[in-house]
């Protein structure tokens, strides 16, 4: 056997941009899995999926030319079933042997947990890899994630896009195969416009360079590097810096085979429009790269990526500029018209926009958020008057023409309109920041006022969602309550706000309960009016409101549950998280400090023993009969070990009281770690459940005192294996 390089290339019509990376990876993985499943050895090396919009390829540096010998075992009946009392074969054994095509005496025996049984062992020569590849390819293609396969011609087969050629080379040889109506060959295709001809491939090792000579970069990483280099060079030529986002870059990479940057420009008058709207148009709609100045402001330059090196770049540039101008003109018109109306006036329309049927209009939500913001602001050092003003304006831009056209500009447009309307810079910024974090990796709001609004907004959304029966189930989360819960938690923790979360949730739920009552009253009034108009008897609607402790705890637990992933991403073990979560701290900032402290404590050599001791204490106390005394009686301390532990616990409580009050949890746990010798000695020498009830009660009181202080920062027993 010998290793030979393997090349598979499937030529297609242009594949969907966002689907291309997944299809390429699935094709590559399918081939690798197919070889491995059949025991065909291969060298993977640095191999990776190769692809362009017009091709999917797998290139492996070495694949064996044939399988190794194939060993198989087919198990037959156990001896007690296979042989009769005289040692003669039963019908079960005879049938098994006949099916195998051999005499039963040629069968071997093996033993497993149930006893001895017959087995048919066979060895067959390995198949040639070339004979296996067509089936491997069919399996790989069948397993690809193609949600809507396309059919073409009058064929039965289907694929993501129509296919046009198939290259299948193992070493210098073509592997015969028929797939999707294609017969394998060694001819690839060059660039559709710059080298529209067949590319003859003598060997898989020549593939990348041969395609490059035909103006095709089959390696997505190579295209990415070329795009970044050319875009940065073009931006530098324009005297600016290119804005290159990962999402935009990846889409452009999968749009072209031979990228070439083209520097373009637009009229400076469009810069009066909020730059976010212009950037949105360039990146989302046209896949262009904006050019910013040194201060991060948008310039009138942008860069397009052509899939060709044009002989007349100026014409390509004009084409890109012509495409973008109508969109910019629309944005400028919307912006100018919105400025005429003003942000304050836009708010009137919110009264007629339903937020949620049970919770009233968007204007009703604005009032609830405003009330919460005024409660939160003084607790974190922000101005409640400004918080009220910012909250009252934060949703007004939803009625703007700009946001109607560019929904992603919610808050951003409001900031611009607030500035234009003479609002204070802090209020304008808070309107924008109230939406942060907008997505998983986004930063929280930076300004104090923005943080207040972000927290108030999410408190109301969560309380309203739960009250309206919209708690997420499975993958359904129509109000994005999971995202809002994590955004709320992050905003509190990362801001360092020591807020009483249950109290704020209670207030938010009270506000929502009142809103539900108002909506029910309105519904009752409408029903009564309709009944009077029709002459029917009106029926009263029960007026129920308020929230229960159970509902409050349910919402609190929902928020805490979102923190599991948050801390897991930070490398916090689940045991540490559970140790703190069991205490249900009212402040999420306090929760975070306890997480840090338990992480430091877990590194101490005493941690495991004290965690195990606390677990033992919890079990003892849970099983204790009768009432445990409220304090330790020194006169009942008989054994030296219990006297020493009582003395040590008393000293530790005295030493940690101030630190615990100041929430210096690292200091508290560090001091408690010094109790290990006395704790170990106590459990080695003292019988807790003494026959004397007084001694037993006193020892239980000692353990409860110790356990309460050991568990004052976190339920450290979770650290015990």
């Amino acid at each position: 056997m010998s290793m030979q390089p393997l090349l598979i290339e499937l030529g297609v019509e242009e594949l969907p941009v966002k689907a291309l990376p997944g299809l390429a990876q699935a094709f590559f993985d399918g081939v690798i899995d197919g070889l491995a499943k059949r025991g065909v050895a291969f060298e993977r090396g640095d191999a990776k999926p190769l692809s362009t919009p017009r091709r999917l390829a797998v290139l492996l540096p070495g694949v064996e030319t044939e399988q190794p010998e194939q060993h198989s075992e087919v198990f037959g009946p156990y001896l007690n079933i296979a042989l009769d009392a005289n040692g003669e074969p039963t019908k079960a054994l005879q049938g098994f042997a006949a099916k195998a095509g051999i005499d039963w005496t040629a069968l071997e025996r093996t033993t497993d947990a149930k006893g001895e049984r017959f087995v048919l062992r066979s060895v067959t020569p390995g198949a040639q890899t070339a004979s296996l590849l067509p089936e491997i390819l069919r399996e790989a293609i069948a397993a690809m994630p193609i949600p809507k396969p396309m059919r073409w011609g009058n064929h039965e087969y289907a694929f993501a896009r129509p296919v046009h050629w198939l290259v299948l080379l193992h070493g210098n040889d073509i592997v015969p195969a028929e797939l999707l109506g294609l017969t394998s060959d060694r001819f690839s295709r060059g660039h559709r416009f710059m080298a529209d001809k067949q590319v003859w491939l003598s060997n898989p090792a020549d593939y990348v360079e041969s395609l490059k000579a035909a103006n095709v970069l089959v390696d997505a990483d190579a295209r990415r590097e070329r795009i970044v280099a050319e875009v940065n060079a073009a931006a530098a030529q324009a005297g600016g810096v290119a804005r290159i986002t990962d999402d935009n870059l990846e889409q452009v990479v999968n749009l072209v085979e031979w990228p070439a940057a083209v520097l373009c420009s637009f009229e400076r008058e469009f810069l009066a429009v909020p730059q976010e709207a212009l950037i949105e148009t360039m990146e989302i709609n046209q896949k262009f790269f904006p050019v910013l100045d040194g201060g991060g402001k948008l310039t009138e330059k942008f860069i397009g990526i052509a899939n060709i090196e044009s002989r007349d770049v100026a014409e390509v540039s004009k084409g890109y500029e012509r495409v973008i101008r109508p969109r910019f003109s629309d944005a400028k018109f919307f912006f100018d018209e919105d400025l005429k109306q003003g942000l304050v006036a836009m708010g009137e329309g919110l009264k007629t926009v339903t937020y949620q049927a049970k919770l009233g209009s968007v204007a009703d939500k604005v009032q609830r958020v405003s009330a919460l913001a005024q409660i939160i602001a003084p607790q974190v050092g922000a101005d409640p008057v400004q918080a009220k003003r910012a909250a009252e304006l934060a949703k007004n831009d939803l009625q703007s023409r700009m946001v109607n056209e560019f929904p992603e500009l919610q808050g951003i447009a409001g900031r611009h309109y607030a500035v234009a309307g003479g609002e204070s810079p802090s209020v304008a910024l808070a309107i924008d920041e109230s939406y942060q974090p907008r997505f998983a990796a986004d930063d929280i709001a930076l300004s104090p006022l923005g943080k207040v609004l972000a927290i108030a907004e999410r408190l109301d959304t969560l309380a309203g969602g739960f009250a309206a029966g919209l708690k997420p189930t499975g993958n359904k989360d129509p109000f994005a309550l999971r995202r809002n819960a994590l955004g709320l938690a992050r905003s509190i923790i990362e801001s360092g706000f020591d807020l009483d979360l249950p109290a704020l949730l209670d207030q938010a739920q009270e506000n929502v309960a009142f809103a539900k009552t108002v909506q029910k009253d309105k519904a009752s009034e409408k029903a009564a009016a309709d009944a009077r108009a029709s002459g029917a008897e009106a029926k009263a609607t029960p007026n129920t409101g308020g929230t229960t402790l159970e509902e409050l705890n349910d919402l609190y637990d929902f928020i805490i549950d979102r923190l599991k992933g948050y801390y897991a991403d930070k490398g916090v073990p689940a045991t540490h998280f559970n140790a703190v979560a069991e205490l249900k701290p009212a402040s999420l900032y306090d929760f975070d400090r306890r997480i840090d402290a338990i992480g430091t404590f877990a590194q101490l050599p005493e941690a495991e023993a004290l965690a195990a001791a606390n677990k033992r204490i919890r079990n003892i106390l849970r099983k204790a009969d009768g009432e445990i005394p409220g304090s330790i009686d020194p006169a009942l301390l008989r054994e030296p070990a219990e006297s020493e532990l009582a003395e040590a616990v008393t000293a530790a409580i005295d030493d940690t009281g101030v630190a615990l009050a100041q929430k210096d949890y690292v200091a508290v746990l560090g001091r408690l770690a010094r109790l290990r010798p006395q704790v170990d000695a106590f459990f080695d020498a003292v019988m807790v459940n003494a026959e004397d009830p007084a001694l037993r009660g006193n020892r239980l009181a000692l353990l409860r005192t110790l356990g309460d202080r050991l568990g004052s920062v976190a339920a450290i027993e979770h650290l015990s294996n």
Side-chain angles (χ1 to χ4, degrees):
M1 293 191 293
S2 62
M3 289 274 187
Q4 294 290 338
L6 173 68
L7 170 64
I8 305 168
E9 185 191 57
L10 187 64
V12 295
E13 293 287 351
E14 276 75 1
L15 290 163
V17 172
K18 292 187 177 181
L20 178 54
L23 294 174
Q25 186 67 55
F27 189 48
F28 180 84
D29 292 343
V31 172
I32 293 292
D33 292 345
L35 292 171
K37 184 171 70 174
R38 291 164 176 81
V40 179
F42 59 89
E43 294 176 359
R44 180 165 179 169
D46 296 328
K48 58 186 175 182
L50 299 176
S51 65
T52 75
R54 299 180 64 214
R55 69 201 73 223
L56 300 170
V58 177
L59 176 61
L60 296 175
V63 176
E64 285 286 2
T65 55
E66 64 180 85
Q67 286 178 309
E69 289 183 336
Q70 300 297 295
H71 296 261
S72 67
E73 286 186 332
V74 180
F75 295 103
Y78 287 95
L79 261 63
N80 62 335
I81 299 174
L83 301 175
D84 62 20
N86 298 320
E88 295 299 319
T90 63
K91 290 184 178 180
L93 180 58
Q94 291 174 349
F96 177 72
K99 186 176 180 180
I102 62 173
D103 189 86
W104 73 271
T105 57
L107 293 171
E108 298 181 45
R109 299 185 185 187
T110 187
T111 303
D112 60 20
K114 294 183 178 180
E116 192 174 5
R117 67 190 306 180
F118 284 93
V119 62
L120 172 64
R121 292 191 174 99
S122 62
V123 178
T124 56
Q128 294 294 310
T129 300
S131 68
L132 301 173
L133 282 170
E135 183 182 17
I136 290 173
L137 278 182
R138 280 190 287 271
E139 289 180 359
I141 289 173
M144 291 173 71
I146 305 174
K148 294 182 179 180
M150 179 181 291
R151 297 183 183 277
W152 61 98
N154 58 356
H155 310 294
E156 290 297 321
Y157 43 77
F159 194 61
R161 291 291 185 271
V163 298
H164 292 296
W165 73 88
L166 173 64
V167 175
L168 187 50
L169 297 178
H170 193 193
N172 296 328
D173 300 326
I174 299 172
V175 177
E178 290 189 4
L179 187 71
L180 299 174
L182 302 171
T183 301
S184 58
D185 208 329
R186 64 171 70 248
F187 291 101
S188 181
R189 304 276 178 89
H191 190 281
R192 187 184 293 276
F193 305 112
M194 299 177 69
D196 189 17
K197 57 185 179 181
Q198 291 185 329
V199 178
W200 190 83
L201 301 170
S202 61
N203 187 282
D206 300 334
Y207 177 63
V208 174
E209 289 303 316
S210 295
L211 267 292
K212 186 176 181 180
N215 301 104
V216 175
L217 294 176
V218 293
D219 185 346
D221 291 335
R223 295 200 302 278
R224 186 179 299 105
E225 291 175 7
R226 180 183 174 111
I227 290 168
V228 170
E230 291 211 2
V231 167
N232 284 333
Q237 178 186 339
V241 178
R243 173 185 155 96
I244 304 177
T245 64
D246 291 341
D247 184 63
N248 194 29
L249 176 60
E250 288 309 301
Q251 292 195 61
V252 174
V253 165
N254 295 313
L255 275 170
V256 296
E257 291 192 319
W258 193 257
V262 179
L263 182 62
C264 313
S265 62
F266 56 83
E267 291 79 0
R268 289 187 61 84
E269 66 186 61
F270 290 127
L271 293 176
V273 178
Q275 70 176 38
E276 294 87 355
L278 304 182
I279 289 173
E280 177 89 2
T281 292
M282 285 188 274
E283 292 181 342
I284 303 300
N285 298 107
Q286 304 301 332
K287 310 299 181 291
F288 294 151
F289 296 95
V291 177
L292 312 177
D293 63 19
K297 296 292 185 181
L298 184 65
T299 71
E300 70 273 22
K301 301 292 184 179
F302 68 94
I303 300 162
I305 298 296
N307 188 29
I308 187 174
E309 287 183 359
S310 175
R311 289 189 293 268
D312 193 345
V313 177
E315 284 301 311
V316 178
S317 177
K318 288 179 182 178
Y320 288 159
E321 292 166 358
R322 189 163 51 247
V323 166
I324 210 169
R325 192 170 290 115
R327 293 282 298 179
F328 279 12
S329 296
D330 288 345
K332 189 174 187 308
F333 171 77
F334 297 142
F335 183 63
D336 291 342
E337 291 299 304
D338 287 339
L339 287 178
K340 293 176 184 177
Q341 182 182 11
L343 186 63
V344 174
M346 293 177 194
E348 288 299 313
L350 298 179
K351 297 176 182 178
T352 60
V353 179
T354 299
Y355 169 65
Q356 205 281 333
K358 297 179 181 179
L359 303 173
S361 66
V362 175
D364 294 328
K365 177 179 176 61
V366 167
Q367 290 181 0
R368 297 195 300 271
V369 172
S370 176
L372 286 170
Q374 292 175 77
I375 293 172
I376 297 167
Q379 297 183 45
V380 300
D383 183 350
V385 175
Q386 285 197 320
K388 179 176 184 292
R389 181 62 175 171
E392 289 173 344
L393 298 174
K395 297 296 182 185
N396 288 13
D397 67 351
L398 296 179
Q399 291 293 96
S400 69
R401 293 173 175 83
M402 181 68 80
V403 171
N404 183 60
E405 180 69 15
F406 302 98
E408 297 81 3
L409 298 185
Q410 295 175 37
I412 297 171
R415 167 166 55 84
H416 286 279
Y417 297 143
V419 170
E423 300 293 336
S424 71
S426 56
V427 167
L429 180 59
I431 291 172
D432 185 352
E433 290 186 331
S434 67
Y435 287 89
Q436 289 181 252
R438 285 180 166 87
F439 48 89
D442 195 18
D443 293 329
I444 66 166
L446 295 178
S447 72
L449 207 58
K451 293 173 180 177
V452 168
L453 252 65
I455 292 169
E457 167 69 28
R458 286 160 178 79
L459 283 168
D460 180 76
T461 298
L462 289 165
F466 271 57
L470 297 172
K471 181 180 177 180
T473 56
N475 294 326
K476 294 182 179 180
D477 190 4
F479 267 43
L481 297 184
R482 293 188 181 98
R483 189 181 69 207
N484 275 279
L486 182 57
L488 170 66
R490 283 189 57 201
S491 296
I492 293 174
I493 292 170
E494 294 172 21
S495 298
F497 288 166
D498 200 8
L499 297 169
D500 187 330
L501 180 60
L504 291 175
L505 290 174
D506 186 47
Q507 182 62 57
Q509 287 183 318
E510 281 191 20
N511 295 347
V512 166
F514 177 76
K516 288 180 66 179
T517 300
V518 170
Q519 291 306 115
K520 287 182 178 180
D521 288 344
K522 289 180 179 179
S524 296
E525 291 173 4
K526 183 178 185 303
D530 291 344
R532 286 193 297 271
S534 63
E537 182 181 351
K539 295 182 179 181
T541 302
N543 191 356
T544 59
T547 58
T548 66
L549 181 60
E550 182 181 354
E551 291 171 330
L552 179 63
N553 289 334
D554 190 26
L555 185 48
Y556 173 89
D557 290 341
F558 178 77
I559 295 168
I560 295 299
D561 197 49
R562 304 281 75 73
L563 287 176
K564 286 181 181 178
Y566 174 74
Y567 283 112
D569 291 342
K570 291 175 174 288
V572 174
T575 52
H576 295 195
F577 176 85
N578 293 335
V580 176
E582 185 170 314
L583 269 61
K584 293 183 175 292
S587 164
L588 295 186
Y589 176 59
D590 185 55
F591 191 110
D592 188 66
R593 293 180 67 174
R594 291 172 187 263
I595 287 284
D596 287 342
I598 203 71
T600 301
F601 173 71
Q603 303 302 314
L604 299 177
E606 300 88 356
E608 174 63 27
L610 284 177
N614 207 42
K615 187 174 185 178
R616 186 174 180 181
I617 290 169
R618 299 297 181 204
N619 289 334
I620 291 172
L621 294 174
R622 186 170 57 251
K623 296 176 182 177
D625 293 328
E627 186 176 347
I628 301 173
S631 61
I632 304 166
D633 184 351
L636 292 174
L637 298 172
R638 300 292 173 81
E639 301 291 340
E642 63 181 322
S643 297
E644 291 173 5
L645 179 59
E647 183 180 346
V649 169
T650 301
I653 290 175
D654 291 341
D655 292 345
T656 56
V658 173
L660 193 58
Q662 295 175 346
K663 301 183 179 180
D664 186 354
Y665 300 127
V666 173
V668 172
L669 290 175
R671 174 63 181 87
L672 293 176
R674 288 158 51 189
L675 291 173
R676 178 184 174 179
Q678 292 84 1
V679 172
D680 289 347
F682 177 86
F683 282 117
D684 287 342
V686 178
M687 173 69 71
V688 177
N689 291 316
E691 291 186 9
D692 185 337
L695 288 180
R696 182 170 63 250
N698 199 53
R699 288 169 182 172
L700 289 172
L702 172 57
L703 290 182
R704 185 170 64 182
T705 303
L706 170 61
D708 287 347
R709 188 48 55 109
L710 285 176
S712 61
V713 175
I716 64 171
E717 60 268 22
H718 284 277
L719 275 60
S720 176
N721 293 325

